[in-house]
Amino acid sequence: DEMTSEERQEMISNMVEGLASRLASEGGTSDEWARLIKALSVLGDSDRAQKIWAEAINIYKDSPADQRVINNIAKEIGISR
């Protein structure tokens, strides 16, 4: 029972949206923010990945360790300055 690539894409997209809305409403760990940023980039949504990166950096402005996690993923996917 293989999924078509469209079905797989939709499932991934739904998971990403679920994570995005949970982080927006409840917050989460810097690892979760990093995972969301990377997932958006993989889905080809670099603009949104960049917006969420900026948001996450702001959320963790008082935590250099968390900022490092988020900036590392941004560098990895090529959106950080």
Side-chain angles (χ1 to χ4, degrees), residues 3-20:
M3 279 194 280
T4 66
S5 63
E6 287 84 17
E7 288 169 331
R8 189 174 298 110
Q9 192 73 25
E10 189 178 334
M11 184 185 83
I12 292 168
S13 191
N14 289 340
M15 287 174 8
V16 168
E17 287 313 315
L19 180 58

Side-chain angles (χ1 to χ4, degrees), residues 6-81:
E6 287 84 17
E7 288 169 331
R8 189 174 298 110
Q9 192 73 25
E10 189 178 334
M11 184 185 83
I12 292 168
S13 191
N14 289 340
M15 287 174 8
V16 168
E17 287 313 315
L19 180 58
S21 64
R22 183 171 64 76
L23 289 176
S25 63
E26 301 164 27
T29 65
S30 54
D31 286 331
E32 289 173 315
W33 285 98
R35 201 162 63 231
L36 174 60
I37 293 163
K38 182 165 186 169
L40 287 168
S41 145
V42 168
L43 292 173
D45 200 346
S46 300
D47 290 349
R48 188 161 170 218
Q50 223 158 353
K51 280 190 196 89
I52 290 184
W53 170 52
E55 190 182 327
I57 286 300
N58 189 42
I59 288 169
Y60 290 107
K61 63 182 176 288
D62 298 325
S63 173
D66 287 316
Q67 283 198 339
R68 231 182 347 269
V69 169
I70 294 159
N71 281 328
N72 284 344
I73 205 72
K75 277 192 197 85
E76 184 185 310
I77 62 175
I79 62 170
S80 75
R81 308 180 186 67

